[in-house]
Amino acid sequence: MAEHASVPLTDFIEYPAEEMQQRSDDFYQAIKRRHSVRSFSGRSVDRAVIENCLRAAGTAPSGANHQPWHFVAISDPAVKKEVREKAELEEQQFYAGRAGEEWLNALKPLGTDDQKPFLETAPWLIAIFAQTVGGVESGDSGKNYYVRESVGIATGFLIDALHHSGLATLTHTPKPMKFLNEICNRDSTERPYILLVVGYPADDATIPVHATKKKALKEIATFI
Ligand SMILES: Cc1cc2nc3c(=O)[nH]c(=O)nc-3n(C[C@H](O)[C@H](O)[C@H](O)COP(=O)(O)O)c2cc1C
């Protein structure tokens, strides 16, 4: 290995084989209770919880460790209202045909439409931005690598952390999302990636049957 500064790995935890088996099953049982929720209660969620989940997201692996992400956590009702108005404007055109017939047909079993009241009801919206320009230090203006992959992994960590904390989420992607740059005051070199809706589910929240159908292990994995 090339010369580089390093420190001993001290925080890896090895579990006995049986415990490892149990932990892997426990994790699966817990993560399969995550569902995209589209009906949120207005109950508030402490900022400290959101901060911890964002810290967890920030530990994700990334190309050359450039951490090419920025999270804008929105709880201000006026800003959420603006996000909803702009998102619904884009979604009206999307559902009116801009998406194309095949895409709209694929969405039918989910029952989604251009109305997004949850963008105002949910206590938190987290706008996730992918930084095309950056580096290992904040404010660097070098090139970032594997930006989409890195931000996708960090977003996965974030969704998992929120679920683990006892919160529901919706991975929302109003299309196009460029309006988020202006609302969140982010540079045009940052690409809006996902708008995560976070909070408690409404008491009468439902999930589409379509979303409960997950491919079996033998369909998604091959062992060779
Ligand atoms: C990249 C991505 C974009 C998504 N965009 C939307 C969206 O704009 N609106 C929405 O209602 N759901 C959206 N979803 C949620 C999916 O519809 C949902 O994950 C899928 O139906 C499976 O359901 P589950 O998350 O409950 O397992 C998106 C999911 C992903 C991963």
Side-chain angles (χ1 to χ4, degrees):
M1 230 188 253
E3 184 111 354
H4 65 290
S6 61
V7 291
L9 170 65
T10 53
D11 52 3
F12 178 83
I13 302 176
E14 181 174 330
Y15 301 101
E18 213 171 284
E19 192 179 342
M20 183 191 276
Q21 178 73 41
Q22 187 62 51
R23 289 175 64 90
S24 64
D25 190 51
D26 289 348
F27 184 81
Y28 169 53
Q29 298 304 328
I31 200 73
K32 79 177 187 185
R33 289 188 294 100
R34 181 214 55 85
H35 305 289
S36 290
V37 165
R38 296 177 181 83
S39 181
F40 284 83
S41 124
R43 277 170 72 191
S44 61
V45 171
D46 277 354
R47 172 176 163 158
V49 175
I50 303 298
E51 287 181 353
N52 270 338
C53 294
L54 291 172
R55 282 189 187 98
T59 67
S62 64
N65 197 30
H66 282 197
Q67 304 153 64
W69 42 66
H70 190 84
F71 304 93
V72 178
I74 306 167
S75 63
D76 182 330
V79 180
K80 288 194 291 178
K81 185 169 189 283
E82 194 182 353
V83 170
R84 177 185 179 182
E85 283 168 2
K86 299 262 167 62
E88 285 185 341
L89 273 181
E90 298 298 352
E91 294 285 83
Q92 276 155 20
Q93 292 181 49
F94 178 88
Y95 282 94
R98 193 168 60 195
E101 203 184 329
E102 189 172 352
W103 197 345
L104 289 176
N105 279 337
L107 290 175
K108 268 190 190 145
L110 294 173
T112 52
D113 59 25
D114 57 16
Q115 295 304 299
K116 309 292 173 190
F118 50 76
L119 292 175
E120 276 189 87
T121 331
W124 289 97
L125 306 178
I126 304 178
I128 304 168
F129 290 87
Q131 299 178 323
T132 53
V133 171
V136 78
E137 302 293 342
S138 288
D140 282 354
S141 54
K143 188 171 160 20
N144 283 335
Y145 306 95
Y146 294 116
V147 173
R148 293 194 71 81
E149 294 82 349
S150 304
V151 182
I153 294 169
T155 301
F157 275 36
L158 178 58
I159 293 171
D160 188 20
L162 291 162
H163 172 69
H164 181 78
S165 305
L167 291 166
T169 55
L170 174 66
T171 313
H172 187 33
T173 42
K175 204 169 160 58
M177 279 191 282
K178 215 55 196 163
F179 66 88
L180 285 174
N181 285 73
E182 203 187 317
I183 295 177
C184 299
N185 201 19
R186 300 308 300 174
D187 193 82
S188 62
T189 56
E190 296 192 359
R191 296 202 193 110
Y193 184 75
I194 274 164
L195 180 60
L196 206 62
V197 187
V198 182
Y200 291 96
D203 288 341
D204 59 354
T206 60
I207 49 169
V209 171
H210 177 74
T212 65
K213 297 174 187 159
K214 299 299 185 193
K215 292 177 183 170
L217 179 64
K218 65 178 188 325
E219 294 171 273
I220 63 167
T222 304
F223 291 78
I224 54 177

